[in-house]
Amino acid sequence: MSSKLASDRTRKEETDMDSPPKTPRWVKVFGIIVLALIVVVVALLLFGPDTFGPGEHGPARHIPSSPTQQP
Amino acid sequence: MIMSPGWRKFALAVHLTLSIGWIGAVAAYMALDFAAATSQDAQTLRTAYLGMDLIARSVIVPLAFASLLTGLVVALGTKWGLFKHYWVLISLLLTIFATVVLLIETRTIRYFAEIASAPTATTDDLRALGSTLGHSIGGTVVLLVILVLNIFKPQGMTRYGWRKQQEQRALSRP
């Protein structure tokens, strides 16, 4: 019985080795999460509050658009 | 080229030290970033922004590049390879992404430090600067994901890895 199971497993592994491996489930889940995060970030950049709005993200958002008036 | 066991352990030790050091440096940076985000005191804000700039430029950026470089050495010098396994490939992409965002963010941090070091900057000027807390937290999460991938090494070979394995098998057959 056990030798049959072992031979089945070996046969399965050999079959697996002869065909390209499928993408693992964890990679698919990871990809979906990354894609969802990208969608959220793009949505925030386009429609979010001021700090995420168009042209408001990145170092430029901290720099005043008009020069500070000197006394 | 596969490294000898001694060199492999040495390279791995250096890579681990630099990578964990990167996470530790980001933790120290986050403490100052949190102070910059919440404090109303001019002296605290000034000190926080100057400290953030110093840690980012002198510690975090060098550690990021060193970690990326030693990671490449460890991957290419061992059986894992760079593109053969999903966990290595994803770790590489995440490290490159974190390093690029870090380099962009250093411009913001530099600007904060320049304002903070100006004697004419008022408390309102400093308060208006804000913080980089969002990026700090996001960066930490990315680094922790890389850490988990490197510890658990989840299985999964890429098509490229499978092709290479088949080539090796064909060569080793009599």
Side-chain angles (χ1 to χ4, degrees), chain A residues 13-21, chain B residues 79-80 83-85 156-173:
Chain A
E13 280 169 2
E14 279 173 0
T15 312
D16 286 347
M17 281 187 290
D18 289 339
S19 58
Chain B
K79 63 168 180 149
W80 293 108
F83 307 110
K84 292 179 185 172
H85 298 268
M157 193 175 265
T158 61
R159 277 173 181 268
Y160 169 79
W162 176 79
R163 259 200 325 271
K164 284 281 167 193
Q165 195 184 51
Q166 296 297 99
E167 284 172 18
Q168 290 276 325
R169 283 219 177 92
L171 284 174
S172 63
R173 271 177 204 146

Side-chain angles (χ1 to χ4, degrees), chain B residues 1-3 8 72-82 84:
Chain B
M1 191 187 76
I2 302 294
M3 289 185 280
R8 185 181 61 78
L72 290 173
V73 170
V74 170
L76 293 171
T78 60
K79 63 168 180 149
W80 293 108
L82 206 52
K84 292 179 185 172

Side-chain angles (χ1 to χ4, degrees), chain B residues 3-37:
Chain B
M3 289 185 280
S4 68
W7 277 109
R8 185 181 61 78
K9 278 185 183 170
F10 176 72
L12 187 63
V14 173
H15 177 60
L16 283 175
T17 306
L18 294 167
S19 305
I20 304 297
W22 184 2
I23 296 174
V26 171
Y29 175 90
M30 267 174 67
L32 295 174
D33 209 356
F34 187 75

